[in-house]
Amino acid sequence: MASTTTMLSSYNGNFPSNSHHYARSLSSGGGQQQPPKLPKRVGPAIGLATSAFLFLGKGKSILSALKLTKFASFGSLFLSIGTYSMFFGLPYAAGMVGLILVHETGHALVMKHLRIPFSPMVFVPFVGAAVAMKEAPKNVYQEALVAFGGPVLGSLGAGAVCISAHATDSQLCFALADFGFMINLFNMMPLGMLDGGRITSAISPYAGLVGLGMGGGMIYCDVISNSIFYLVMMAGGYQTFTKLYNPRAHDATLPRNYYNISNMQKLGVTGGYFGVIGALLLAMEVNAQYKKSPETLQREREYGLR
């Protein structure tokens, strides 16, 4: 059983986006608050939870356990909102989870269109969310389409929040739009279980090596550092290794001729992949011009400009 997953490891690390630095300040209406930081004890707990989420995959995973109750989706959604609100405030936390919901809905809609049965959506605090496919797609092209669904709809959702920010002059919405663009961009990395890893599998079996190089560079340069991302790298490394050096084991559970797709399909996937990345980079750049720093917002409040 495969799953599409929205990963939040970039947000909990040192990804070059400071929207979370003043999330609580925006949620509470201002004040001189320091950027919220996760307690040190949270890290190991996140690592253990993520280890189970990533490595106990397939039929006996956490997803399978949680889907036993019909209210698992709503319960895990509200659990995520409650957990995030302790660090970022309720408005920002609700916006975060809402954008993750839009992203995962994109995956689910494509699965429904392709008639791929899937399990209920499950949210995991500080990991993200996932929709598990009960059956493998017919080929890697279908897998790429399912993977595209999340970033495409998620980016549109973040764009709608950005438009709302302009319409209402809301810095909270600008910060949420930044989060939405960033998290969808991160998930386009050509690495393992991330959406980008699934998409680029249709382009080249060597794409995973590029993702591992990118991830390794980010770790080395201290751009991002946390246990979740390390586990993503480990899982991505394992998948890439088996795909290149032990293809029989990798392909054993997949339909026959899974990777045999036309050149036009590969071209379409390639164009779509770089098109989404380019659009997200442009959107982040434009949004950054309107998103104000905590210091600027504080000065505006002090002088009665807001």
Side-chain angles (χ1 to χ4, degrees):
M1 179 173 63
S3 65
T4 60
T5 309
T6 309
M7 295 301 297
L8 289 177
S9 55
S10 62
Y11 186 72
N12 295 307
N14 300 317
F15 197 88
S17 168
N18 66 350
S19 61
H20 58 295
H21 284 177
Y22 57 111
R24 182 173 289 277
S25 177
L26 291 170
S27 295
S28 60
Q32 296 178 336
Q33 281 191 283
Q34 295 298 317
K37 297 182 181 295
L38 301 182
K40 292 183 178 180
R41 293 184 179 180
V42 173
I46 293 173
L48 291 174
T50 310
S51 296
F53 186 78
L54 292 175
F55 297 112
L56 298 181
K58 302 183 179 180
K60 296 181 180 180
S61 65
I62 290 178
L63 296 178
S64 297
L66 287 176
K67 74 179 182 180
L68 293 177
T69 168
K70 63 184 294 186
F71 299 108
S73 295
F74 289 107
S76 61
L77 183 148
F78 289 114
L79 174 63
S80 290
I81 293 176
T83 303
Y84 293 136
S85 66
M86 292 189 293
F87 300 98
F88 309 120
L90 181 57
Y92 192 87
M96 282 178 62
V97 176
L99 286 167
I100 297 171
L101 172 63
V102 172
H103 178 107
E104 288 301 318
T105 299
H107 292 308
L109 289 174
V110 178
M111 290 182 209
K112 183 176 181 179
H113 176 72
L114 296 175
R115 297 182 179 179
I116 300 173
F118 56 91
S119 298
M121 191 180 303
V122 175
F123 295 80
V124 182
F126 299 109
V127 175
V131 177
M133 292 182 279
K134 295 182 179 180
E135 297 177 3
K138 293 181 179 179
N139 53 45
V140 72
Y141 181 67
Q142 281 197 354
E143 181 179 2
L145 293 180
V146 171
F148 265 123
V152 170
L153 190 61
S155 299
L156 292 175
V161 174
C162 185
I163 293 173
S164 176
H166 284 282
T168 60
D169 191 27
S170 169
Q171 284 299 310
L172 174 61
C173 288
F174 279 122
L176 284 170
D178 182 71
F179 166 80
F181 293 137
M182 179 270 293
I183 212 67
N184 282 285
L185 180 63
F186 173 79
N187 274 275
M188 291 297 285
M189 281 186 64
L191 181 62
M193 63 186 294
L194 298 181
D195 295 329
R198 296 182 180 277
I199 293 169
T200 55
S201 290
I203 301 173
S204 170
Y206 297 98
L209 295 176
V210 177
L212 290 172
M214 292 172 60
M218 294 170 71
I219 293 173
Y220 179 79
C221 297
D222 200 30
V223 174
I224 180 170
S225 57
N226 64 39
S227 59
I228 297 177
F229 188 67
Y230 300 152
L231 289 167
V232 171
M233 287 287 290
M234 290 171 58
Y238 175 77
Q239 291 181 18
T240 301
F241 176 83
T242 56
K243 186 181 297 184
L244 293 176
Y245 299 104
N246 192 10
R248 288 186 178 180
H250 177 75
D251 298 345
T253 60
L254 298 176
R256 180 175 295 183
N257 300 321
Y258 188 77
Y259 289 99
N260 292 343
I261 62 175
S262 68
N263 289 332
M264 287 301 296
Q265 288 175 323
K266 286 187 178 181
L267 183 63
V269 171
T270 303
Y273 178 72
F274 289 106
V276 171
I277 290 177
L280 283 168
L281 288 171
L282 178 61
M284 288 184 70
E285 179 64 26
V286 172
N287 190 70
Q289 297 178 14
Y290 298 93
K291 183 169 67 91
K292 299 178 181 179
S293 68
E295 294 77 16
T296 300
L297 292 173
Q298 183 61 32
R299 285 197 299 269
E300 289 183 355
R301 292 188 181 100
E302 289 175 352
Y303 290 103
L305 300 177
R306 292 191 67 83

